[in-house]
Amino acid sequence: MTMKTAGIHHITAFVTDAQRNVDFYAGVLGLRLVKKTINFDAPEVYHLYFGNEMGSPGTAITFFPWAGSRRGRIGGGQVGYTVYAVPPGSFDFWQERLRKLNVPFTPVERFGETYIRFADPDGLGIEMVEREQGTPSRWSFGGVPADKAIKGFGGAVLNSIAPDKTRHLLEHVMGLELVAEEGDLARYRAAGDIGNIIDINRVPVGWGIGGAGTVHHIAWRAKDEEDHRSWREHVLSNGYKVTPVIDRQYFNAVYFREEGGILFEIASDTPGFDYDEPFESLGEKLMLPEWLEARRDEVARGLPPIEVRVLEEDAR
Ligand code: ZN
């Protein structure tokens, strides 16, 4: 059976301070906080989702902000860079914006494209690239107008400790196509038009250390619940140890550790983030799964207050 993922569904990372996280991804990058919930496995920690206006698959980056947690080190077995796609012609705007907000960045070139590389406040590696592909975001916030807004993921750079194995998985199980090789990197393309370009090291990278400022897992897209079940069977039949299907409220999930050390998830596009609150007010209320509703006050008291706010530099 040949199956092809459309690309990245979401990327999930560890950070420390929740408000600083909101100020960067909403304030600096102009993304929408589309869901404010808690880590279903550790309700004393937020789970924050940022994306385009809907948090569409291929646009959502999610965080577990854990105050005082140990800083990790980006390396093998992780996503090295999370790449954002912005509209063609918007680089001048973004470079001026990053300068104004004191976010140091460096331009890098690969596969004939120019990237702006920077880090978030916890050290997470981020890049931005101009791409024609991908539906324009309809979200504008603070200093970021909709016509300059991040469309979603351009893709990601993976750091594998066993790249031959990871590359085999990408091509023969996940259904990506090898499109180019250059220097230390190989480039794969997934079937969708966002979150679809995956670069991976060609020679092994030594293990990173998980912790704040590193990606915990990368999730790939399945269409709906039925397609998601097929994906689980497909991965299982290729010899990977896969978790049972887990209900993550906004999508179904399965997880498996690939041989290059990276934690992969497969997530369904359905039902999406407007499953439990209306589009207009996405992300405003603390959303809890049913089994935690009875403890809402207690859970809320254990979380630091956060607000989505326009940065001072943008308000002047
Ligand atoms: Zn996930």
Side-chain angles (χ1 to χ4, degrees):
M1 180 171 49
T2 307
M3 295 189 76
K4 289 177 191 293
T5 181
I8 301 169
H9 183 283
H10 65 270
I11 287 176
T12 295
F14 292 119
V15 291
T16 49
D17 189 83
Q19 183 62 52
R20 193 172 69 167
N21 183 244
V22 173
D23 284 341
F24 190 79
Y25 287 90
V28 175
L29 296 186
L31 296 169
R32 185 180 191 186
L33 176 67
V34 291
K35 194 62 66 182
K36 181 166 65 178
T37 183
I38 43 90
N39 182 338
F40 290 2
D41 306 319
E44 67 278 15
V45 173
Y46 277 118
H47 194 181
L48 304 177
Y49 293 71
F50 301 88
N52 70 354
E53 70 279 357
M54 261 307 282
S56 310
T59 78
I61 191 163
T62 96
F63 295 98
F64 298 121
W66 209 310
S69 61
R70 176 182 71 122
R71 181 147 180 182
R73 193 184 69 215
I74 298 170
Q78 295 176 2
V79 170
Y81 293 98
T82 295
V83 182
Y84 277 120
V86 294
S90 65
F91 255 9
D92 286 349
F93 165 83
W94 280 106
Q95 295 189 50
E96 196 181 310
R97 178 163 182 76
L98 294 175
R99 259 185 228 111
K100 169 173 126 174
L101 299 175
N102 297 312
V103 179
F105 62 89
T106 46
V108 290
E109 304 268 339
R110 66 175 179 273
F111 298 108
E113 294 181 304
T114 302
Y115 293 73
I116 302 172
R117 178 178 288 180
F118 51 98
D120 87 351
D122 285 279
L124 199 76
I126 309 279
E127 291 181 339
M128 219 175 238
V129 64
E130 292 183 347
R131 291 261 170 85
E132 291 283 354
Q133 275 199 319
T135 310
S137 175
R138 291 189 286 121
W139 190 249
S140 63
F141 182 72
V144 184
D147 68 330
K148 303 287 193 295
I150 288 172
K151 295 196 266 192
F153 298 122
V157 181
L158 306 184
N159 290 337
S160 172
I161 63 153
D164 292 349
K165 300 253 168 73
T166 309
R167 291 178 62 177
H168 186 271
L169 167 67
L170 289 176
E171 193 166 342
H172 299 287
V173 181
M174 303 309 296
L176 278 66
E177 184 192 354
L178 175 66
V179 290
E181 295 186 86
E182 178 187 291
D184 295 341
L185 292 172
R187 168 160 288 196
Y188 289 82
R189 187 172 56 212
D193 68 352
I194 197 81
N196 57 335
I197 302 294
I198 305 299
D199 293 338
I200 177 169
N201 55 297
R202 296 168 75 184
V203 292
V205 172
W207 280 106
I209 300 170
T214 68
V215 168
H216 179 252
H217 65 264
I218 181 167
W220 306 93
R221 293 173 66 181
K223 288 186 203 74
D224 51 23
E225 286 180 30
E226 192 189 335
D227 187 43
H228 189 257
R229 280 192 295 272
S230 306
W231 268 104
R232 183 174 184 280
E233 289 307 313
H234 177 62
V235 172
L236 205 56
S237 71
N238 278 276
Y240 293 89
K241 267 178 93 172
V242 193
T243 65
V245 174
I246 301 169
D247 177 2
R248 292 300 189 199
Q249 196 92 343
Y250 312 108
F251 47 86
N252 279 355
V254 294
Y255 304 84
F256 62 102
R257 179 83 57 185
E258 57 89 26
E259 290 161 286
I262 306 166
L263 184 59
F264 274 21
E265 175 185 342
I266 296 174
S268 57
D269 284 359
T270 56
F273 295 109
D274 57 355
Y275 170 71
D276 60 357
E277 57 183 338
F279 171 79
E280 292 71 27
S281 57
L282 283 178
E284 289 175 14
K285 184 183 169 197
L286 177 65
M287 302 309 295
L288 296 176
E290 229 173 313
W291 73 88
L292 277 172
E293 270 302 339
R295 290 173 50 205
R296 171 173 282 274
D297 290 351
E298 179 198 339
V299 170
R301 267 198 311 274
L303 295 164
I306 52 171
E307 60 168 332
V308 176
R309 56 192 183 187
V310 174
L311 301 177
E312 270 176 41
E313 293 88 336
D314 287 327
R316 282 202 283 265

